[in-house]
Amino acid sequence: MAAANKPVWVQVAEAGFGARLEELGWKPVSPAHWRLDGDGVIWRTMLDRPWGEDWDPEADGIDLTGCFADETGFELAGLDDLVKRLHPGRHHRWLNRTIRRSVRVHLSFTVGGEFYDLSCRRHAEWMGANWTWKEALRRQLRGRRRSPPIERLYDVEPVYRTKEKYGRGIGYVGGWWDTNDFGVEEVSARLMRHWEAYMKPRIDAWATGKDTLEFSMFTEPEPDKTASSIVDVYAHYVVGDLDYCQRRLRAEVSRKVPTLEEELAWLKKVRFFKDYPTYGPKEKKATALRFIESAEEEVRLARRVARTLDLKLD
């Protein structure tokens, strides 16, 4: 197929980006998808068409001809198989979709996301250098302290675009690379420079399954306390850290299940029902009972997981 007839992300891959990844040890899976296997971790880097949940670029008047997105992410090997084993009746996977819809990872990153973080730090430095704390407070009280224009946020790379005109204060909103002004070869070179600057250090730091336990979803800061999920237990189990698993499961099976009176008092204390003004005593009682049942289910789950994984909690 002639280069001009190939998707632009494939052209970018063939213009040098893919060859450089292969030099670094990555194996090609398809023309714009590469894989790197570590000890208990699988890394993937992909180029493809830009996309977002519930986003229609044509409706926003955006022409994505000559544009593509990048994504790099990892899968903790064995985690999803363990989840399926422990929850056979659920159609749930911890893996998340990527720009390659059929490819899933546990956590992913983009070069654009790194641009966002860098640019926000630059903006914070600019505010610190140009505003006194009184000026910053005055702007905040007047509701004028919105995020800076995205053009300023992304000035670290002129070939990177985003659909947002202003930051919305909720973090990185997504974007894409545009080859129309600079050409495929130049954009491929720029992408590779940024990828090596931002992605490679993270991949090198998380080269094994144990390394990825630094991911906040995989490790609770206080293992001897309860948490909202036990996916961290599963992550530590697949890498062989059974001591952590036992500490967390002991905390879960010791979880205090409140009485109905205690739960109702807590819901009142936190003003839970202020958003439900029509709730009467019957509805409030039913809500409290659901929370109590949820706590009881967490205890039962922890006990079942400990039995299935043969983890002694005594």
Side-chain angles (χ1 to χ4, degrees), residues 2-299:
N5 295 326
K6 295 179 180 179
V8 67
W9 48 92
V10 174
Q11 296 179 47
V12 169
E14 294 178 347
F17 182 76
R20 177 56 181 152
L21 285 180
E22 292 182 41
E23 289 177 6
L24 295 173
W26 291 70
K27 305 299 183 185
V29 178
S30 65
H33 175 194
W34 302 265
R35 171 174 171 155
L36 181 68
D37 288 77
D39 180 8
V41 63
I42 301 167
W43 280 94
R44 298 180 186 274
T45 286
M46 296 152 282
L47 307 179
D48 211 312
R49 60 174 53 82
W51 76 280
E53 296 289 350
D54 303 319
W55 177 46
D56 180 3
E58 292 185 3
D60 290 340
I62 297 174
D63 182 6
L64 293 178
T65 303
C67 301
F68 69 96
D70 74 277
E71 190 164 7
T72 296
F74 76 86
E75 173 189 349
L76 178 58
L79 177 57
D80 270 44
D81 290 336
L82 180 62
V83 171
K84 293 174 186 176
R85 174 185 168 192
L86 296 171
H87 304 278
R90 293 187 186 178
H91 298 288
H92 175 74
R93 303 182 71 193
W94 286 102
L95 291 168
N96 300 302
R97 287 192 302 176
T98 63
I99 53 176
R100 288 282 174 111
R101 303 299 186 90
S102 61
V103 177
R104 293 175 179 257
V105 295
H106 286 121
L107 181 65
S108 67
F109 313 89
T110 67
V111 174
E114 301 298 329
F115 290 164
Y116 179 89
D117 292 342
L118 173 61
S119 298
C120 283
R121 290 195 296 271
R122 287 183 175 180
H123 183 64
E125 292 170 359
W126 178 87
M127 288 193 298
N130 291 276
W131 293 351
T132 64
W133 70 268
K134 290 184 178 180
E135 171 69 5
L137 178 61
R138 181 179 67 82
R139 287 173 175 266
Q140 185 175 18
L141 292 175
R142 292 185 178 183
R144 295 172 56 189
R145 194 179 177 182
R146 66 178 178 179
S147 298
I150 289 292
E151 291 89 334
R152 184 184 301 168
L153 285 179
Y154 292 104
D155 64 3
V156 292
E157 179 48 72
V159 304
Y160 197 81
R161 311 280 186 255
T162 178
K163 63 186 177 71
E164 297 291 338
K165 183 177 181 182
Y166 286 95
R168 297 178 294 178
I170 57 173
Y172 172 56
V173 296
W176 57 89
W177 299 82
D178 189 341
T179 65
N180 289 297
D181 293 335
F182 286 76
V184 167
E185 289 77 12
E186 176 63 21
V187 172
S188 179
R190 288 171 181 247
L191 170 62
M192 193 67 240
R193 286 198 298 272
H194 290 302
W195 189 94
E196 290 201 56
Y198 297 123
M199 299 294 110
K200 190 175 183 299
R202 178 176 283 116
I203 295 164
D204 291 343
W206 289 6
T208 71
K210 287 187 178 180
D211 295 333
T212 67
L213 295 180
E214 293 183 12
F215 177 28
S216 59
M217 191 177 81
F218 287 171
T219 298
E220 289 294 328
E222 298 182 88
D224 297 309
K225 293 186 177 181
T226 60
S228 59
S229 167
I230 61 172
V231 67
D232 60 305
V233 175
Y234 305 156
H236 279 259
Y237 183 81
V238 299
V239 302
D241 186 358
L242 303 187
D243 178 67
Y244 177 97
C245 298
Q246 290 170 314
R247 291 172 63 187
R248 280 282 292 112
L249 290 174
R250 286 191 191 105
E252 293 297 335
V253 299
S254 302
R255 178 188 290 265
K256 184 181 183 301
V257 179
T259 65
L260 176 61
E261 291 72 21
E262 289 173 334
E263 188 66 17
L264 284 169
W266 180 80
L267 291 172
K268 181 179 180 180
K269 180 180 178 180
V270 299
R271 302 179 65 193
F272 178 83
F273 296 111
K274 68 182 178 65
D275 294 327
Y276 306 93
T278 61
Y279 275 25
K282 182 179 178 180
E283 290 80 9
K284 291 180 179 180
K285 178 181 178 180
T287 301
L289 288 173
R290 285 197 296 273
F291 280 114
I292 293 171
E293 172 58 27
S294 177
E296 292 173 338
E297 175 55 30
E298 293 295 336
V299 174

Side-chain angles (χ1 to χ4, degrees), residues 294-309:
S294 177
E296 292 173 338
E297 175 55 30
E298 293 295 336
V299 174
R300 291 193 293 268
L301 172 62
R303 287 175 176 158
R304 179 166 58 82
V305 168
R307 286 195 305 270
T308 303
L309 302 182

